[in-house]
Amino acid sequence: MAKIIECVPNISEGRNHEVIEACVDQIRNTAGVTLLDYSSDASHNRSVITFMGSPEGVMNAAVALTKKAVELIDLNHHTGEHPRMGAVDVCPLIPLKDITTEEAVGYSKQLGERLWNEAGVPVFLYEDSASAPHRVNLADIRKGQFEAMPEKVKDPMWTPDFGGAFCHPTAGCTAVGCRMPLVAFNINLSTDNVDIAKSIAKIIRRKNGGFDCVKSNGFLIEVPADEEKGSPARKYAQVSINMTDFNRTPLYRVVEVTKAEAKRWGVWVTGTEIVGLTPMRALIDSAEYYLQLEGFDFDKQVIENYML
Amino acid sequence: MAKIIECVPNISEGRNHEVIEACVDQIRNTAGVTLLDYSSDASHNRSVITFMGSPEGVMNAAVALTKKAVELIDLNHHTGEHPRMGAVDVCPLIPLKDITTEEAVGYSKQLGERLWNEAGVPVFLYEDSASAPHRVNLADIRKGQFEAMPEKVKDPMWTPDFGGAFCHPTAGCTAVGCRMPLVAFNINLSTDNVDIAKSIAKIIRRKNGGFDCVKSNGFLIEVPADEEKGSPARKYAQVSINMTDFNRTPLYRVVEVTKAEAKRWGVWVTGTEIVGLTPMRALIDSAEYYLQLEGFDFDKQVIENYML
């Protein structure tokens, strides 16, 4: 069985097509990895690249990408809505197959060391790889952004894990760490009252006493009229969710609690959506629950597991 | 994307360990295929071998297996409960990935021709590969079994597709064909009245007007007492199902109809079981239904599909 890691670097360039392609080419041209997706946001001025492969391949590709980003991106000239502290702002490693969290943390530390040694960028370890509890959340590490980093790294609380009290003058700092696969999951409601979605979002998220592995918020989704299809404009409230560890908080449980809470407002769930990629396990868990499947062994009974 | 076929030959030997291992070794020693499982039944005197791989690898392995089975198995000395007509009794090919039914039918014909040319065994094409409607069902082809075959093949209705009006004197005939992946699925009921399970089995199966891709029957399951665990003996009725094409008749629909029908007897579904292997799609479909997932693209959104 082959070890497979997913890697989702975020680079601080979402407008210049040539720079973005030059960075993505580093993934395309590295052996042992597969480019899954990349997308750019001009207002955020940021691109998210998703690839996967062997641990060795993933580390090589991330180093090559970082070298190219350091060469081409200068944060002194970077503007955008999304907070950022580095040319490669953050580079999470996600254990996908035949690899424990502990092993993936080990690889993230190897990668951090290589980014400093080979690309000259200081690295903070975050999430499961963090060297202290106050360094788990990326938002805390990144607070002050690129502009404040040269001063911030002098504080022993915020010295990078690799590179010492230093911030690269044009490429800033990078956060590297192991985290669980994240599933972006939306639940649509039979109402256009966004306050109901916001109330439910609060009920289900950890921040307000809800599920440990749920981050959520409520939004109003406005769908314009489509004259060609003859469909009128419509609005509906949506609970938008990041499932940060579906092994610990499964999707079906969040759906069932959302249904139960929506009922008190006379509202029901009209549908759900998964945005982007999901590991199959996130859905198999829900099938097991609703079908009342007993004694199912995911690793041994799902035939695709023998192909990977 | 690589084409992957599953192959599940049934050989007419379930007692002699050496013969079984010698046959399974042919799969183990062929490049391009992976042995998934094999199991033997002494009372049936039959073994089921499951493997998968590239079309070329699967054909090579099936030919090697058949040559070995012809060498070691003599049906003149075979007794067992299960009907059989050949040393390799049946060899279904199941399209698993990036392969259409039409392509898999093509490979089954290539395999049939090779079994005749290289192993000297006449071959009937069955299921999706059948050369006439009366030759679709294996039970019809096999009727009369090994002992009747030398006469049966002389009837133009029953001439093998490869090999002409001939039956191998010790290895009989083999059926080869393309069929959809089969999921063995049990639904357990809150009653020990087996007649209720039998009634529901009739309601859901095609034979009596039910779902097109369901074969089912009702059984009484008796679980002996376990003194170590302190659990008493218990009995329950079970609807035992072969889902012959879960793409056309999905698992959740059969569960929901079973629940609805069980209600009329004051009975409910206590649990379900999948026996053996299942393609992940059979479960993802159920997750989509129960989670009310909209616009989900299985091929593009399930990350494992990029690893295969």
Side-chain angles (χ1 to χ4, degrees):
Chain A
M1 298 279 212
K3 294 179 198 293
I4 298 180
I5 288 180
E6 187 186 3
C7 183
V8 191
N10 289 212
I11 62 171
S12 295
E13 176 59 65
R15 296 170 189 165
N16 184 322
H17 187 70
E18 269 180 43
V19 170
I20 296 165
E21 287 299 319
C23 288
V24 175
D25 277 344
Q26 305 307 308
I27 312 302
R28 292 191 181 105
N29 298 336
T30 300
V33 300
T34 305
L35 177 66
L36 295 177
D37 187 43
Y38 65 110
S39 65
S40 302
D41 186 304
S43 70
H44 286 180
N45 199 3
R46 187 178 181 89
S47 298
V48 178
I49 303 164
T50 307
F51 65 98
M52 66 175 188
S54 65
E56 203 58 44
V58 163
M59 288 192 289
N60 291 338
V63 168
L65 168 73
T66 304
K67 281 183 179 173
K68 186 55 71 177
V70 169
E71 180 192 328
L72 300 179
I73 299 172
D74 182 351
L75 283 180
N76 295 290
H77 305 293
H78 181 275
T79 56
E81 280 171 38
H82 200 291
R84 76 288 178 270
M85 67 176 183
V88 175
D89 195 52
V90 56
C91 186
L93 298 185
I94 300 136
L96 275 192
K97 184 152 172 58
D98 295 321
I99 191 162
T100 63
T101 302
E102 290 67 36
E103 286 178 280
V105 166
Y107 288 121
S108 73
K109 290 178 180 175
Q110 283 185 47
L111 176 59
E113 191 165 14
R114 286 187 61 184
L115 291 190
W116 168 240
N117 289 334
E118 300 177 38
V121 178
V123 168
F124 289 96
L125 295 170
Y126 83 122
E127 287 284 348
D128 293 341
S129 307
S131 52
H134 70 282
R135 295 160 78 121
V136 169
N137 282 319
L138 178 60
D140 296 329
I141 295 171
R142 193 165 53 193
K143 199 172 178 188
Q145 301 192 48
F146 172 72
E147 289 73 13
M149 277 293 144
E151 275 307 303
K152 186 172 179 174
V153 296
K154 293 177 187 167
D155 178 349
M157 287 276 284
W158 296 110
T159 310
D161 292 279
F162 301 100
F166 172 73
C167 176
H168 190 286
T170 57
C173 303
T174 297
V176 173
C178 164
R179 66 161 170 80
M180 287 301 101
L182 188 146
V183 177
F185 185 53
N186 297 329
I187 303 180
N188 299 329
L189 303 178
S190 66
T191 178
D192 60 1
N193 184 339
V194 69
D195 289 341
I196 293 175
K198 286 185 188 293
S199 291
I200 293 173
K202 276 186 192 165
I203 286 164
I204 61 174
R205 71 189 178 200
R206 179 176 64 179
K207 201 169 141 188
N208 297 76
F211 292 114
D212 191 33
C213 306
V214 168
K215 295 178 180 177
S216 52
N217 217 330
F219 295 98
L220 184 67
I221 306 298
E222 305 196 46
V223 183
D226 186 331
E227 286 183 25
E228 223 163 278
K229 291 182 185 168
S231 57
R234 60 200 179 96
K235 295 180 188 180
Y236 56 89
Q238 179 180 80
V239 186
S240 180
I241 305 166
N242 270 332
M243 302 288 309
T244 59
D245 186 350
F246 58 80
N247 287 312
R248 300 185 60 232
T249 306
L251 271 63
Y252 70 81
R253 202 171 295 152
V254 175
V255 169
E256 289 303 311
V257 169
T258 297
K259 283 181 186 170
E261 292 293 334
K263 265 188 205 165
R264 79 159 59 183
W265 319 96
V267 166
W268 60 92
V269 170
T270 58
T272 68
E273 302 163 1
I274 286 177
V275 183
L277 296 166
T278 177
M280 64 174 157
R281 181 143 211 165
L283 290 170
I284 301 268
D285 283 348
S286 292
E288 280 187 72
Y289 171 75
Y290 288 111
L291 293 174
Q292 298 175 253
L293 260 185
E294 291 173 7
F296 187 72
D297 186 327
F298 174 80
D299 290 329
K300 289 192 180 149
Q301 291 189 260
V302 174
I303 205 164
E304 280 84 352
N305 282 324
Y306 294 89
M307 302 186 203
L308 300 177
Chain B
M1 299 278 212
K3 293 179 197 297
I4 299 179
I5 288 179
E6 187 186 3
C7 183
V8 191
N10 289 213
I11 62 171
S12 295
E13 177 58 67
R15 296 170 188 165
N16 185 323
H17 187 71
E18 270 179 42
V19 170
I20 296 165
E21 287 300 319
C23 288
V24 175
D25 277 344
Q26 305 307 310
I27 312 302
R28 292 191 182 104
N29 298 335
T30 300
V33 301
T34 305
L35 178 66
L36 295 178
D37 188 42
Y38 65 110
S39 65
S40 303
D41 186 305
S43 69
H44 286 180
N45 200 4
R46 187 178 181 89
S47 298
V48 178
I49 304 165
T50 307
F51 66 98
M52 65 176 190
S54 65
E56 203 57 45
V58 164
M59 288 192 288
N60 291 338
V63 169
L65 169 73
T66 304
K67 282 183 179 174
K68 186 55 74 177
V70 169
E71 179 192 328
L72 300 179
I73 299 173
D74 181 351
L75 283 180
N76 295 291
H77 305 293
H78 182 275
T79 56
E81 281 170 38
H82 200 289
R84 76 287 177 269
M85 65 175 185
V88 175
D89 195 52
V90 56
C91 186
L93 298 185
I94 301 135
L96 274 192
K97 185 154 169 59
D98 294 322
I99 190 162
T100 63
T101 301
E102 289 66 36
E103 286 177 281
V105 166
Y107 289 122
S108 73
K109 290 179 180 174
Q110 283 185 47
L111 175 59
E113 191 164 15
R114 286 187 60 184
L115 291 191
W116 168 241
N117 289 335
E118 300 177 37
V121 178
V123 169
F124 289 96
L125 295 170
Y126 83 122
E127 287 283 349
D128 293 341
S129 306
S131 53
H134 69 281
R135 296 159 79 118
V136 169
N137 282 320
L138 177 60
D140 297 329
I141 296 171
R142 192 165 54 195
K143 200 172 176 187
Q145 300 192 47
F146 172 71
E147 288 74 10
M149 278 294 144
E151 275 307 304
K152 184 170 179 175
V153 295
K154 292 177 188 166
D155 179 349
M157 287 276 285
W158 297 109
T159 310
D161 292 279
F162 301 100
F166 172 74
C167 176
H168 190 286
T170 57
C173 303
T174 297
V176 173
C178 164
R179 66 163 171 81
M180 287 301 101
L182 188 146
V183 177
F185 185 54
N186 297 329
I187 303 180
N188 298 329
L189 303 178
S190 66
T191 178
D192 60 1
N193 184 339
V194 69
D195 290 340
I196 293 176
K198 285 184 189 293
S199 290
I200 292 173
K202 278 187 192 164
I203 286 164
I204 60 174
R205 70 189 179 201
R206 180 176 62 178
K207 201 169 139 187
N208 298 75
F211 292 114
D212 191 33
C213 307
V214 168
K215 294 179 180 178
S216 52
N217 217 331
F219 295 98
L220 184 67
I221 306 297
E222 304 196 47
V223 184
D226 186 331
E227 286 184 22
E228 223 164 276
K229 291 182 183 167
S231 58
R234 61 200 179 93
K235 294 179 188 178
Y236 56 89
Q238 179 180 80
V239 186
S240 181
I241 304 166
N242 271 333
M243 303 288 309
T244 59
D245 186 349
F246 58 80
N247 287 312
R248 300 186 59 232
T249 306
L251 271 63
Y252 69 81
R253 202 172 294 153
V254 175
V255 169
E256 289 303 311
V257 169
T258 298
K259 283 181 186 169
E261 292 293 333
K263 265 188 204 165
R264 79 159 59 183
W265 319 96
V267 166
W268 60 92
V269 170
T270 59
T272 68
E273 303 162 2
I274 286 178
V275 183
L277 295 166
T278 177
M280 63 175 158
R281 180 141 212 169
L283 290 170
I284 301 267
D285 283 348
S286 292
E288 281 188 70
Y289 171 76
Y290 289 112
L291 292 174
Q292 297 175 253
L293 260 183
E294 290 173 9
F296 188 70
D297 186 327
F298 175 82
D299 290 329
K300 289 192 180 149
Q301 290 190 261
V302 174
I303 205 164
E304 280 84 352
N305 282 325
Y306 295 89
M307 302 185 202
L308 301 177

